[in-house]
């Protein structure tokens, strides 16, 4: 059974299509992470990074070292930076940019637009699809109208949306995003309450999503959901 586990902040663990996948892997500096870095030693197939801010790039370099068979999926420019600065071999990269699906051994991957900032590449969201389930991880982003296109093209079952405000959408804006994305199952809030600067009540998001006729699912750090 496919499974998603929220590790706090924007870090998300997926078990999908026989693959162990980690998105935006800030583990060491994540004050609410339920696991230590060594939990992921020699068991990851894929690491996805939406952009290079420290709370999203996180422990990518070390995780690639302790998972010698894992691949990295990010924008070409970010991968080029990591290859140049940290000697991650290109043979372990899946170069991409915002566009259509790429096949990764039976899992479909895509990068989407995000409205944010980043030093070495444009920020992105990510689509992961397999076993009949499609997940959209928005990365860090403000609200933008092209979310309607993301929903129309990729038809996500689950959407993972930042709600912490200040650096991303707040709960009200994220609920508008849900209305545009039209998830078939649940909207899951992320990127909030890690630190006081992004402290919000996720129940505000739940209420706003419900008003719009969709369902939100609030996970605690470490909590899983079968997809």
């Amino acid at each position: 059974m496919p499974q998603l586990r929220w590790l706090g902040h924007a870090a998300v663990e997926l078990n999908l299509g026989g693959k162990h996948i980690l998105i935006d892997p800030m583990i060491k500096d994540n004050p609410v992470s339920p696991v230590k870095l060594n939990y992921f030693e020699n068991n990851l197939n894929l690491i996805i990074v939406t952009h290079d801010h420290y709370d999203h790039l996180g422990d990518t370099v070390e995780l690639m070292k302790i998972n010698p068979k894992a691949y990295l999926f990010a924008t070409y420019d970010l991968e080029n930076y990591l290859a140049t600065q940290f000697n991650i071999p290109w043979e372990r990269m899946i170069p991409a940019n915002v566009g259509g699906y790429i096949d990764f051994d039976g899992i479909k991957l895509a990068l989407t637009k995000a409205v944010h900032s980043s030093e070495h590449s444009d920020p992105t969201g990510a689509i992961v699809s397999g076993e009949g389930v499609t997940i959209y991880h928005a990365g860090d982003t403000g609200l933008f109208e092209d979310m309607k296109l993301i929903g129309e093209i990729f038809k996500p079952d689950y959407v993972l949306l930042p709600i912490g405000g200040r650096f991303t959408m707040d709960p009200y804006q994220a609920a508008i995003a849900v209305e545009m994305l039209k998830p078939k199952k649940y909207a899951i809030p992320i990127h909030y309450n890690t630190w006081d600067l992004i402290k919000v009540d996720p129940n505000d998001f739940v209420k706003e999503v419900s008003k719009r006729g969709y369902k939100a699912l609030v996970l605690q750090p470490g909590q899983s959901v079968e997809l």
Side-chain angles (χ1 to χ4, degrees):
M1 178 70 72
Q3 190 175 73
L4 178 154
R5 181 162 72 145
W6 185 45
L7 302 177
H9 202 58
V12 174
E13 179 185 13
L14 297 174
N15 283 284
L16 189 69
K19 300 291 183 289
H20 191 193
I21 301 167
L22 195 55
I23 305 175
D24 283 355
M26 181 181 69
I27 306 299
K28 280 184 177 178
D29 293 330
N30 182 347
V32 295
S33 174
V35 297
K36 302 297 184 184
L37 204 63
N38 62 7
Y39 169 81
F40 296 106
E41 188 168 358
N42 286 317
N43 60 38
L44 286 176
N45 301 106
L46 180 66
I47 299 167
I48 299 173
V49 180
T50 62
H51 65 294
D52 63 12
H53 287 164
Y54 84 96
D55 56 328
H56 294 258
L57 181 61
D59 301 296
T60 296
V61 173
E62 187 167 347
L63 285 164
M64 290 292 285
K65 289 178 181 177
I66 65 174
N67 288 275
K69 295 183 179 179
Y71 286 80
L72 176 66
F73 182 58
T75 62
Y76 172 86
D77 302 275
L78 179 50
E79 290 176 340
N80 187 50
Y81 164 73
L82 294 173
T84 303
Q85 296 298 314
F86 300 101
N87 297 314
I88 298 175
W90 274 106
E91 293 78 13
R92 298 178 60 198
M93 308 280 199
I94 305 171
N97 212 314
V98 173
Y101 274 129
I102 295 167
D103 181 73
F104 174 69
D105 197 17
I107 299 291
K108 295 192 294 183
L109 306 171
L111 296 176
T112 68
K113 176 181 176 180
V115 177
H116 193 59
S117 60
S118 186
E119 185 175 356
H120 298 287
S121 176
D122 289 338
T124 66
I127 302 283
V128 183
S129 187
E131 293 191 68
V133 178
T134 299
I135 300 114
Y136 167 54
H137 186 301
D140 273 1
T141 189
L143 183 64
F144 58 97
E145 196 168 7
D146 284 351
M147 286 180 171
K148 290 179 182 177
L149 289 175
I150 294 171
E152 180 181 333
I153 292 167
F154 295 106
K155 298 177 173 57
D157 297 287
Y158 297 86
V159 297
L160 300 158
L161 301 175
I163 68 164
R166 187 179 288 258
F167 303 107
T168 68
M169 296 181 288
D170 61 21
Y172 176 73
Q173 293 168 338
I176 295 172
V178 173
E179 196 169 19
M180 290 194 283
L181 290 160
K182 297 179 167 49
K184 289 183 257 182
K185 294 188 178 176
Y186 287 104
I188 299 173
I190 60 172
H191 203 281
Y192 70 97
N193 291 359
T194 321
W195 302 286
D196 286 345
L197 282 176
I198 52 172
K199 192 170 184 61
V200 298
D201 185 349
N203 290 314
D204 292 340
F205 174 69
V206 174
K207 291 172 188 174
E208 290 294 335
V209 168
S210 180
K211 283 181 190 176
R212 290 163 172 79
Y214 294 91
K215 293 187 289 186
L217 177 63
V218 176
L219 300 176
Q220 300 303 312
Q223 187 177 356
S224 302
V225 59
E226 290 187 350
L227 304 177

